[in-house]
Amino acid sequence: MTPPRSATTRVAAPQGGRIFPWGGPAEKRSARSTVSRPWLWLALLVLVAGLYLYGLNSPYAPTNGDEMVYIHIARMTSESGHWLPLQSEIVGTRNTKPPLLFWQAMVAGDWGQHWNLVALRLPSIAYTFLTTALLAFFAHRISGRVRTACLAAVLYLLFFSTFRYGRVYLTSAPETFWLAVPMWWLLWEHLRAGTQRFCAQSWGVGTYTLFGVAMGLGCAYKSFALAAPTAAALWCAVLLCEARWSWPVVVRTTLGVTWSTVLAVGIFALWFALDPDPASVWQEFVVAENAGKMSNSQGYWHNALFGTYPMWIQLLAYPVNAGLMAFSVFGLGWVGLKALFRGADSERTTPALHLLLVWLVVWLVVFTIPSQRSERYLIPAMPALAIVMALAWDKIPRLWHWITLAITVPALVMLARIAWVMGDLQIASTSQLAMTLVAACVGLTGAGIGFIHKNWCRNASLVAVLAVYASFGLMVQPLSTDAAGYSPTVQSRLQGQRVAVPNGFTGQYERFHFVLPGARITPFDAEGRNTGTLRPDLPAPERLAFLLGQFDAVVWL
């Protein structure tokens, strides 16, 4: 008897029959066209990874303004010669993050002996690359294709949230790595079980203890509150993957996840036990930094619907985190809705995909509840999004990729124009200008090919987004060289001298410790507001004369 067509498709699926419900002819054609050229995908991945290392010492790398605040706390604590208490000259910032973040910088900077941006940022790069390697491994295990693994890695690195918060000295890279460990473990157990439904009831206390340690390390980088979405996602995913449901199964899973959560919070609570001033930690971190985000004066539902952080904005968190890849995420959602309304049967939908979707949905739901919402809170779930996008890449309608190309074209033109002007002003050398223009032209060429050859538009969007990042990094590089800073003679003369430097956003004066190493830096309000110090009320000429009378040197804007 000839088997039905659908059965034949299932037998032909890779990895022991595990198939993706969104697969189709387009996906198969793409797989056949690229299976003989995996080196192209590997080359693209190497280029994207190399971009993360390029310009790592630049103060103009895409980042958050708080980076310098954190570096300031790490430097001050290093100079104190003690791990705790944390130190800061900026009011209200001393205990805004747990100590593990600052200890990482203190060790990387050798307690101030090698205090430079490269040393401080490299640990974030290491965490980001480890997460990328893990998601690429699992994408390969699910799909059975090198192309899908490379695609998942490239997508994750091209998400703007990764490029912005997983590359510089911030908290998202380490917390993303550690908080994902329980989900990676669960995914590995499921994939290893193959066609048989795996049973988490074989897990003992040791496994849940491992989860608790990983969750505790992630919380120790940012907040104990992160234990909530991690535990909720783990609990839902374990029950979803269980072969048989029963009350003993639910109770055992609940107890195991509860133990992991208690252990994670206990690891975080070591901060209170080790810090000589636990009362300040409680007041500044727990009450002000965390509890304050759960309260508001307008009423919960008014704030949730019409406030500064409405719920509907949080629903766009994943596209916002994707940055230039946002419309591809919208396209993924469109594909998912079509599959839902068509009633994709559970037999054809893999539990691995269910696990990834639970990871995404639970994190979104949990962080929609607080009164203060931000797309940054969902960054630890972005690895799951990268894998799902890679699996569904060939089913995302071309329209969404064309929109991505349409956005990158004016961005590339603008960056090329700025680089050209910098060359005219002799800010950039001829070689620097040429490299920027080459990167922009590669991106524009890729976009043009994507518009002309519809079958290439998906991969062309990756090239175009990579070209935007590369053009930006190359464009600002002339501003990040030694020639753009103070000469060695000036730096030598200011060693140990009292220097007044301008400060705009909180803690931005910290960058002068890299520009003028060894100088004794004191900030003054650059905008002349009455909230500042050092006579902001004086007219500019009189204020400059006042500062020159108080300090050995003044950096004046």
Side-chain angles (χ1 to χ4, degrees):
M1 179 181 295
T2 303
R5 185 174 182 179
S6 58
T8 303
T9 303
R10 293 190 185 99
V11 171
Q15 292 295 314
R18 290 191 297 274
I19 60 176
F20 194 80
W22 299 332
E27 184 182 22
K28 294 176 183 177
R29 286 195 302 270
S30 178
R32 286 195 299 267
S33 64
T34 58
V35 69
S36 61
R37 297 190 298 273
W39 63 269
L40 290 176
W41 285 99
L42 292 171
L44 179 62
L45 179 56
V46 169
L47 285 174
V48 178
L51 182 62
Y52 271 64
L53 297 173
Y54 179 78
L56 202 59
N57 66 329
S58 173
Y60 302 99
T63 182
N64 183 284
D66 289 340
E67 181 187 34
M68 287 299 165
V69 177
Y70 300 155
I71 290 178
H72 169 79
I73 298 172
R75 180 183 59 81
M76 292 291 296
T77 307
S78 293
E79 292 177 354
S80 73
H82 301 282
W83 295 101
L84 288 172
L86 301 176
Q87 303 291 328
S88 176
E89 294 176 339
I90 306 172
V91 178
T93 64
R94 187 166 65 94
N95 291 312
T96 55
K97 287 293 180 290
L100 195 56
L101 169 68
F102 308 110
W103 293 349
Q104 171 185 296
M106 291 160 60
V107 172
D110 193 16
W111 291 77
Q113 299 304 309
H114 299 93
W115 206 252
N116 57 76
L117 288 176
V118 174
L120 298 178
R121 289 169 170 174
L122 271 179
S124 294
I125 295 286
Y127 273 119
T128 296
F129 284 175
L130 284 173
T131 300
T132 304
L134 283 170
L135 69 90
F137 169 78
F138 283 104
H140 183 266
R141 286 283 299 181
I142 295 171
S143 66
R145 294 195 293 270
V146 174
R147 179 235 188 194
T148 304
C150 292
L151 177 57
V154 168
L155 285 170
Y156 180 68
L157 294 176
L158 290 182
F159 288 155
F160 189 62
S161 61
T162 311
F163 192 65
R164 184 181 183 186
Y165 297 107
R167 181 169 175 250
V168 293
Y169 176 59
L170 286 172
T171 59
S172 296
E175 82 197 27
T176 298
F177 174 81
W178 289 113
L179 296 178
V181 168
M183 301 302 287
W184 294 136
W185 186 288
L186 179 58
L187 189 58
W188 166 253
E189 291 284 358
H190 159 68
L191 294 174
R192 189 174 62 170
T195 56
Q196 299 178 351
R197 298 293 296 272
F198 103 103
C199 179
Q201 302 316 303
S202 60
W203 291 354
V205 176
T207 301
Y208 285 105
T209 300
L210 173 65
F211 293 167
V213 171
M215 292 164 58
L217 290 173
C219 292
Y221 268 103
K222 191 166 187 180
S223 173
F224 62 90
L226 293 178
T230 308
L234 177 62
W235 185 83
C236 293
V238 169
L239 293 181
L240 180 69
C241 294
E242 272 295 342
R244 293 184 303 273
W245 271 39
S246 63
W247 280 113
V249 169
V250 175
V251 171
R252 182 182 176 90
T253 302
T254 302
L255 290 176
V257 174
T258 300
W259 163 241
S260 298
T261 306
V262 170
L263 180 58
V265 175
I267 292 174
F268 178 88
L270 289 175
W271 184 10
F272 294 89
L274 299 175
D275 199 296
D277 188 11
S280 296
V281 175
W282 175 267
Q283 185 62 37
E284 295 173 15
F285 185 82
V286 178
V287 176
E289 184 72 11
N290 285 269
K293 296 179 180 180
M294 297 293 294
S295 61
N296 60 84
S297 59
Q298 297 179 324
Y300 178 82
W301 287 109
H302 182 277
N303 180 274
L305 298 176
F306 310 107
T308 307
Y309 308 100
M311 284 184 173
W312 65 270
I313 286 290
Q314 189 71 354
L315 296 177
L316 301 175
Y318 289 124
V320 171
N321 282 334
L324 292 173
M325 303 300 301
F327 286 96
S328 296
V329 177
F330 284 127
L332 175 66
W334 175 255
V335 172
L337 287 175
K338 288 199 303 180
L340 179 65
F341 285 114
R342 288 176 179 175
D345 57 280
S346 58
E347 183 185 357
R348 297 190 64 220
T349 306
T350 67
L353 174 61
H354 282 158
L355 192 153
L356 295 170
L357 293 177
V358 164
W359 188 351
L360 292 167
V361 172
V362 171
W363 273 80
L364 178 62
V365 170
V366 170
F367 278 113
T368 303
I369 297 174
S371 57
Q372 180 174 328
R373 305 168 185 89
S374 171
E375 68 277 0
R376 287 182 294 167
Y377 299 158
L378 299 183
I379 289 177
M382 294 303 287
L385 180 63
I387 297 177
V388 175
M389 283 187 66
L391 294 172
W393 186 248
D394 294 304
K395 295 298 292 182
I396 297 176
R398 297 186 184 93
L399 173 63
W400 302 102
H401 300 289
W402 281 329
I403 295 176
T404 301
L405 293 174
I407 293 174
T408 59
V409 168
L412 289 168
V413 172
M414 178 186 68
L415 292 171
R417 173 58 179 162
I418 294 174
W420 188 276
V421 172
M422 291 174 65
D424 283 344
L425 297 176
Q426 297 182 348
I427 298 174
S429 66
T430 302
S431 60
Q432 291 169 333
L433 171 61
M435 291 175 62
T436 308
L437 295 181
V438 167
C441 288
V442 169
L444 292 172
T445 302
I449 294 175
F451 282 118
I452 296 173
H453 297 279
K454 61 182 182 180
N455 291 332
W456 293 0
C457 68
R458 295 181 175 89
N459 299 338
S461 66
L462 301 175
V463 175
V465 173
L466 171 61
V468 171
Y469 291 168
S471 298
F472 178 85
L474 291 166
M475 183 199 70
V476 301
Q477 191 58 26
L479 305 176
S480 310
T481 60
D482 293 338
Y486 293 101
S487 67
T489 302
V490 173
Q491 292 178 340
S492 177
R493 288 182 60 186
L494 293 180
Q495 289 282 325
Q497 301 297 306
R498 299 175 65 249
V499 182
V501 301
N503 184 49
F505 188 75
T506 304
Q508 291 309 295
Y509 69 90
E510 184 67 23
R511 64 188 178 90
F512 284 98
H513 284 280
F514 301 104
V515 177
L516 299 171
R520 297 161 57 192
I521 302 297
T522 300
F524 65 89
D525 188 355
E527 300 178 6
R529 297 169 296 191
N530 290 330
T531 56
T533 57
L534 297 176
R535 300 300 303 274
D537 56 306
L538 293 176
E542 297 178 18
R543 191 184 191 198
L544 176 57
F546 170 79
L547 293 173
L548 287 171
Q550 300 293 318
F551 297 92
D552 299 312
V554 176
V555 176
W556 185 256
L557 297 179

